[in-house]
Amino acid sequence: MSDAGQPRGAARQPLSRGVIVEEAIAVIDEQGLTALTMRSLGARLGVEAMALYRYVNGREDLLEAVVDDLVDRIRLRPDDVTGPLDGWQAVLQRLAHSVRTIAVDHPKVFPLVATRHPSAPWLRPPLRSLRLVEEFLGALTSRGFTDRQAVGAYRIFTSFLLGHLLLDAAEHGATTGPVEEPLDEGDAAVPAPSPKADVSDYPTLLRTADLLAEDHTEAEFEAALEALLDRLDLLLSQ
């Protein structure tokens, strides 16, 4: 990692979208989200800000790419999804720890995963990619869950992860505030989320699309609260 204010990357490898995203993550890790501008990032990479626009369409596009990069690191390996020796509990444990690694390693970046607009309103952070949700649902339905049970587990699991990991990130120095207003730096518009995301390449998502779109937030809150009270009651009785 280079000293603050000194250009990095230009002497090591040619400029590319991947290099720009990696450097943007480093800036946020070191200095926080507000320090990331196209001008400061260009100076850090040893180029004019305009050179970055060959690869990203402005700061908002860059933030989307940062989120995509982090989420793409969260993986259920093929053997995790189909391996007959692993129960669903082991799969979810590995997935939870994989997500937590991202939150702990990049606490100042992780709130972006929670607050950026997903491509479809039923995609819940931090498992906010079609690939991840397909793998999650497929892992559970291949292990005995019905479609409805798997979708319910997806909602419960993501709520648990997000609550705990945002607290973890805050304890490691992150600022967890409201969604940022887009800055006018280049062609930076963020597309509105669409309820009709293209899931044609994801058979489990295609089959469960209507279930995912159902709104059970009030009932889920009450169920989670009751489960918490039951757990505290058990703790008190021990």
Side-chain angles (χ1 to χ4, degrees):
M1 193 173 292
S2 66
D3 295 333
Q6 292 184 350
R8 333 178 351 166
R12 297 196 307 267
Q13 52 188 319
L15 201 62
S16 67
R17 186 175 176 89
V19 168
I20 292 169
V21 170
E22 180 183 356
E23 198 66 30
I25 292 173
V27 170
I28 302 172
D29 281 342
E30 296 168 15
Q31 304 174 47
L33 182 59
T34 57
L36 180 66
T37 67
M38 299 299 284
R39 292 183 184 86
S40 66
L41 185 60
R44 188 177 170 105
L45 287 164
V47 299
E48 295 293 330
M50 289 304 296
L52 304 180
Y53 291 106
R54 293 179 56 194
Y55 306 96
V56 294
N57 294 328
R59 187 174 184 267
E60 292 302 305
D61 181 40
L62 178 58
L63 293 180
E64 291 297 303
V66 164
V67 170
D68 289 344
D69 183 272
L70 287 186
V71 172
D72 196 51
R73 302 180 193 185
I74 305 167
R75 291 193 171 272
L76 282 169
R77 300 187 305 277
D79 58 323
D80 291 327
V81 176
T82 61
L85 299 179
D86 288 337
W88 61 268
Q89 297 96 332
V91 172
L92 296 192
Q93 282 179 329
R94 279 197 297 272
L95 178 58
H97 285 289
S98 175
V99 180
R100 188 174 188 274
T101 296
I102 299 297
V104 171
D105 289 349
H106 304 283
K108 295 179 182 178
V109 187
F110 186 77
L112 286 174
V113 178
T115 59
R116 301 297 292 174
H117 298 291
S119 58
W122 45 262
L123 280 177
R124 298 163 64 106
L127 308 184
R128 52 180 298 156
S129 79
L130 296 178
R131 172 190 61 79
L132 268 177
V133 180
E134 172 71 18
E135 292 178 358
F136 180 95
L137 297 176
L140 295 191
T141 55
S142 68
R143 289 168 169 82
F145 282 63
T146 66
D147 286 349
R148 184 169 291 278
Q149 288 170 335
V151 169
Y154 167 67
R155 293 194 178 105
I156 294 168
F157 190 69
T158 50
S159 295
F160 164 81
L161 284 180
L162 197 61
H164 275 271
L165 296 183
L166 280 176
L167 287 174
D168 275 354
E171 288 177 359
H172 286 81
T175 299
T176 53
V179 180
E180 285 192 323
E181 289 298 319
L183 295 182
D184 186 13
E185 285 195 279
D187 184 11
V190 179
S194 169
K196 298 187 179 299
D198 184 7
V199 298
S200 55
D201 292 332
Y202 302 94
T204 312
L205 282 179
L206 189 61
R207 191 177 69 244
T208 59
D210 290 340
L211 293 174
L212 286 163
E214 292 178 2
D215 183 3
H216 299 291
T217 50
E218 184 174 355
E220 289 163 5
F221 177 82
E222 294 298 335
L225 180 58
E226 288 179 16
L228 173 61
L229 296 178
D230 288 343
R231 183 173 178 179
L232 292 176
D233 187 48
L234 178 62
L235 181 65
L236 183 62
S237 67
Q238 291 177 344

